[in-house]
């Protein structure tokens, strides 16, 4: 079966810095794929390049059989691909419900929009309770839920999550990983970037290990757990 | 006391016009970081439409929407032709572009219309005055106050409850993430210019209604004042722009009315001195924007 998303020789540059040095990977429909690597390995750069937030220096990205290399970000959410960016980046001066409403900006079907609200409020009851509050006044964990909820409002088929558990208390962190598993059951395919390697390997099916902008190992999570490049990736050795 | 109330009505009328202009600057600035000094020329365009309508005996009630429409269309065209190509340039690049647009338009007005001030035919009603609560107030002042209120209520509703308005606020806060949600950059920016054109058009009608004339440089002074008002209120903050506009109107009118005659020639420096004083106490303006802060120690 053709993968839902595939990258071939993807390269990202910031001036003289080569952050991503020609990586290739693919994600099948229904999978949870983890992208692991130390700080500065280039994980966010890959996700941002996929959605067009940073320019792709070379390589090709295909989503659902279409070439989306260098596509403008605004076209992707309506076609079923979205990113919950690193650092939450909720709209702090908008209410919680307006944040969610913006997440569904590209949807036009009334029923689909209604279902999206129901699903998000179902997953995160706290967001419904706080719907009229400014997003900037939510706690860090609540903001993270809002960021994920906002991304879900576009009914994505592929959701890219950039460090969804960053800075969260252990209990909330567990909720985020439960959520990841739950989303897959609902038919969402996920690409997850995480610092919490142990937990990520528990929920993911496959993983890629990134060191200094290159993929050094790929495989089923059960295999990766034992791999030595896993240790190296996080100790920063290469 | 009566003089004071009288001047307060004047201050509300002038401050309201400044507020509308400052809002127009702030809407565009909050979204793309551009201070559009050609905003004043949108006013001038609307002013000339009023003038030509007067010459062609078009009734004022039709001339006003025509003038405002012209200003909106000119704003959208300005974005498309002049600002879109430099959208990703620095703030300085965009600022210089806006000066260039302003000067080109001024030269066009001077050469195609007239370098001199032209009279604008206004309905006699506007120069009448009425008694309100014992005060004699010009109809044009009342109309200015009423139009300002209508515009502020409309804008508040638009930005809070209309999907496009909410998207504009989202884009002002985090443009990249807004685009991720499927909010189109072109739509939001063109929308911001259209709104600024609407505000400039209404402000132009109010401005011309007080003066009954239009000249090629008409837009410069009010937009400079609006710029000061926007800074006073907190650059990029919409509420701040309104507050700054009204405060500046009050400062100018009260100084003109109550400063002793021998000090009148220092009116403008004193007014600006008060503005600077406010900014010393509140460096980010009266109601700072949540996303933009002056970061100097
Ligand atoms: N906008 C930028 N300008 C210049 N260099 C950048 C920029 N963004 C990232 N980089 C550099 O690119 C490299 C990869 O950064 P990236 O953010 O992709 O790493 P990451 O794997 O997501 O790290 P982290 O785990 O800390 O989030 C780093 O060396 C970083 O300094
Ligand atoms: Mg990162």
């Amino acid at each position: 079966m053709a993968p839902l998303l595939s990258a071939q020789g993807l390269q990202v540059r910031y001036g003289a810095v080569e952050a991503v040095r020609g990586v290739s990977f693919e994600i099948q429909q229904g999978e949870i794929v983890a992208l692991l690597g130390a700080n500065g390995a280039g994980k966010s750069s890959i996700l941002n390049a996929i959605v067009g937030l940073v320019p792709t220096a070379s390589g090709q990205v295909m989503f659902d059989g279409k070439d989306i290399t260098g596509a403008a970000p605004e076209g992707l959410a309506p076609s079923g691909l979205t990113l919950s960016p690193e650092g939450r980046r909720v709209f702090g001066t908008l209410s919680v419900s307006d944040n969610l409403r913006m997440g569904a900006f590209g949807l036009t079907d009334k029923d689909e929009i209604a279902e999206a609200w129901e699903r998000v409020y179902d997953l995160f009851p706290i967001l419904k309770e706080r719907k009229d509050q400014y997003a900037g006044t939510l706690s860090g964990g609540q903001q993270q839920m809002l960021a994920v909820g906002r991304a879900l409002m576009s009914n994505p088929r592929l959701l890219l999550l950039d460090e969804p558990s960053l800075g969260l208390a252990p209990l909330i962190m567990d909720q985020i990983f439960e959520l990841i598993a739950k989303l897959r059951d609902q038919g969402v395919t996920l690409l997850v970037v995480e610092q919490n390697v142990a937990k990520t390997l528990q929920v993911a099916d496959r993983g890629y290990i990134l060191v200094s902008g290159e993929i050094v190992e790929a495989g089923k999570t059960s295999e990766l757990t034992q791999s030595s490049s896993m240790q190296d990736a996080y100790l920063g050795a290469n | 006391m009566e003089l004071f109330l009288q001047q307060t009505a004047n201050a509300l009328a002038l401050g309201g016009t400044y507020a509308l202009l400052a809002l127009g600057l702030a809407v565009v600035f909050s979204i793309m970081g551009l201070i559009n000094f050609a905003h004043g020329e949108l006013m001038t365009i609307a002013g000339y439409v009023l003038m030509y309508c007067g010459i062609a005996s078009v009734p004022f009630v039709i001339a006003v929407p025509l003038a405002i429409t012209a200003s909106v269309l000119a704003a959208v065209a300005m974005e498309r032709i002049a600002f879109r190509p430099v959208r990703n340039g620095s703030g300085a690049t965009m600022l210089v572009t806006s000066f260039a647009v302003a000067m080109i338009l001024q030269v066009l007005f001077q050469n195609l219309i007239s370098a001199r001030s032209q009279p604008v035919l206004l309905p006699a009603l506007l120069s009448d005055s009425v008694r309100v609560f014992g005060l004699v107030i010009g109809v044009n002042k009342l109309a200015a106050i009423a139009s300002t209120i209508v515009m502020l209520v409309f804008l508040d509703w638009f930005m809070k409850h209309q999907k496009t308005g909410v998207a504009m606020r989202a884009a002002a806060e985090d443009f990249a993430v807004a685009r991720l949600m499927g909010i189109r950059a072109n739509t939001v920016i063109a929308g911001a210019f259209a709104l600024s054109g609407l505000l400039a058009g209404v402000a132009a009608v109010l401005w011309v209604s007080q003066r009954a004339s239009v000249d090629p440089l008409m837009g410069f002074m009010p937009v400079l004042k609006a710029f000061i008002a926007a800074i006073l209120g907190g650059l990029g903050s919409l509420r701040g722009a309104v507050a700054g506009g009204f405060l500046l109107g009050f400062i100018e009118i009260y100084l003109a009315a109550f400063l002793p005659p021998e000090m009148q020639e220092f009116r403008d420096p004193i007014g600006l001195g008060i503005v600077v004083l406010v900014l010393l106490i509140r460096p980010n303006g009266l109601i700072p924007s949540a996303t933009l802060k002056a970061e100097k120690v």
Side-chain angles (χ1 to χ4, degrees):
Chain A
M1 202 174 76
L4 184 57
L5 182 115
S6 68
Q8 283 298 319
L10 180 66
Q11 217 180 359
V12 178
R13 271 205 205 97
Y14 305 103
V17 180
E18 203 178 341
V20 179
R21 305 156 184 263
V23 300
S24 302
F25 59 90
E26 56 184 51
I27 302 166
Q28 298 289 340
Q29 175 86 40
E31 274 189 313
I32 300 179
V33 175
L35 189 56
L36 303 169
N39 292 126
K43 307 177 297 290
S44 298
S45 301
I46 292 178
L47 299 194
N48 291 340
I50 293 174
V51 297
L53 283 186
V54 302
T56 304
S58 71
Q60 191 187 39
V61 183
M62 304 280 292
F63 173 67
D64 198 22
K66 284 191 291 284
D67 188 343
I68 58 160
T69 320
E74 48 256 62
L76 297 175
S79 70
L81 169 60
T82 196
L83 163 74
S84 168
E86 185 172 44
R88 298 159 195 158
R89 292 171 76 169
V90 298
F91 303 118
T93 58
L94 267 56
S95 68
V96 168
S97 60
D98 276 342
N99 267 272
L100 295 175
R101 189 173 173 205
M102 288 300 107
F105 192 88
L107 299 186
T108 46
D109 186 297
K110 282 221 162 57
D111 294 336
E112 196 183 355
I113 296 174
E115 274 169 41
W117 282 104
E118 209 175 300
R119 163 157 90 166
V120 169
Y121 279 158
D122 219 42
L123 286 169
F124 307 108
I126 186 75
L127 296 184
K128 190 173 189 177
E129 263 172 53
R130 300 292 171 89
K131 65 179 168 40
D132 297 322
Q133 195 171 320
Y134 282 121
T137 63
L138 293 177
S139 77
Q142 292 164 347
Q143 287 191 14
Q144 186 62 60
M145 293 179 202
L146 179 58
V148 177
R150 183 180 60 182
L152 284 174
M153 285 299 291
S154 65
N155 266 341
R157 277 180 299 153
L158 174 59
L159 174 60
L160 315 179
L161 289 177
D162 198 344
E163 309 214 13
S165 80
L166 190 72
L168 300 186
L171 208 67
I172 315 274
M173 201 184 275
D174 288 344
Q175 284 178 20
I176 293 285
F177 285 98
E178 275 165 33
L179 171 76
I180 291 173
K182 212 171 190 176
L183 286 177
R184 191 240 308 265
D185 295 341
Q186 296 186 356
V188 183
T189 306
L190 291 121
L191 175 60
V192 184
V193 164
E194 254 303 330
Q195 295 286 337
N196 191 326
V197 180
K199 283 216 154 56
T200 308
L201 290 177
Q202 276 169 28
V203 296
D205 303 303
R206 286 191 307 116
Y208 292 91
I209 297 176
L210 198 66
V211 176
S212 307
E214 280 171 295
I215 289 177
V216 295
E217 196 160 341
K220 288 207 162 48
T221 43
S222 49
E223 296 157 12
L224 288 180
T225 317
Q226 277 124 48
S227 125
S228 64
S229 51
M230 190 73 207
Q231 324 292 328
D232 297 347
Y234 281 90
L235 293 172
N238 44 40
Chain B
M1 187 60 196
E2 199 180 308
L3 179 66
F4 177 77
L5 288 178
Q6 199 87 54
Q7 297 301 343
T8 302
N10 291 342
L12 281 174
L14 181 66
T17 309
Y18 287 161
L20 295 184
L21 287 170
L23 255 178
L25 290 180
V27 165
V28 168
F29 182 83
S30 71
I31 284 179
M32 60 187 295
L34 157 72
I35 297 161
N36 182 13
F37 270 96
H39 197 64
E41 279 53 51
L42 298 173
M43 285 181 80
T44 315
I45 288 173
Y48 280 122
V49 171
L50 285 181
M51 176 195 90
Y52 282 119
C53 283
I55 293 171
S57 316
V58 175
F60 197 63
V61 285
I62 298 175
V64 168
L66 281 180
I68 295 173
T69 307
S71 170
V72 171
L73 293 179
V76 173
M78 209 181 255
E79 189 274 321
R80 188 71 194 78
I81 297 165
F83 294 114
R84 196 169 292 187
V86 296
R87 186 186 290 174
N88 296 317
S90 67
T93 306
M94 291 193 286
L95 186 67
V96 170
T97 306
S98 84
F99 279 126
V101 171
M103 284 174 188
I104 290 169
L105 287 172
Q106 287 166 8
V107 170
L108 286 177
F109 300 146
Q110 280 162 351
N111 289 288
L112 298 180
I113 301 172
S114 167
R116 277 180 306 183
S117 180
Q118 302 290 309
V120 176
L121 215 63
L122 296 171
L125 175 70
L126 275 178
S127 40
D128 278 354
S129 36
V130 286
R131 275 198 161 271
V132 192
F133 306 119
L135 292 177
V136 182
I137 300 178
V139 170
N140 54 4
K141 298 274 185 324
L142 276 184
I145 296 171
S147 318
T148 304
I149 294 173
V150 169
M151 286 307 292
L152 292 182
V153 169
F154 164 77
L155 208 72
D156 189 66
W157 167 82
F158 180 81
M159 297 303 268
K160 276 205 191 115
H161 300 292
Q162 276 304 102
K163 195 171 160 189
T164 313
V166 179
M168 285 167 65
R169 283 163 56 215
E173 193 175 332
D174 193 331
F175 212 120
V177 174
R179 295 181 74 190
L180 266 185
M181 319 270 98
I183 296 168
R184 295 164 55 86
N186 285 344
T187 310
V188 165
I189 292 177
F193 271 87
L195 264 189
S196 81
L198 172 70
L199 290 159
V202 174
V205 173
L206 304 182
W207 196 256
V208 171
S209 298
Q210 319 285 333
R211 281 162 195 75
S213 72
V214 49
D215 64 87
L217 304 181
M218 178 186 94
F220 179 72
M221 266 327 264
V223 101
L224 188 64
K225 298 287 176 61
F227 175 59
I228 295 170
I231 302 230
L232 186 60
L235 199 53
S237 147
L238 304 192
R239 278 166 210 292
V242 176
F246 276 109
L247 181 58
L248 190 64
F250 274 85
I251 292 174
E252 287 192 353
I253 295 283
Y254 284 160
L255 285 179
F258 302 117
L259 215 57
E262 65 274 15
M263 287 179 75
Q264 279 296 339
E265 53 182 316
F266 301 109
R267 194 169 70 205
D268 286 342
I270 293 175
L272 281 175
I274 297 175
V275 169
V276 170
L277 209 65
V278 173
L279 286 173
L280 277 177
I281 300 165
R282 295 188 65 86
N284 292 312
L286 297 170
I287 309 176
S289 147
T291 42
L292 304 153
K293 296 256 152 62
E295 277 173 24
K296 291 216 185 76
V297 266

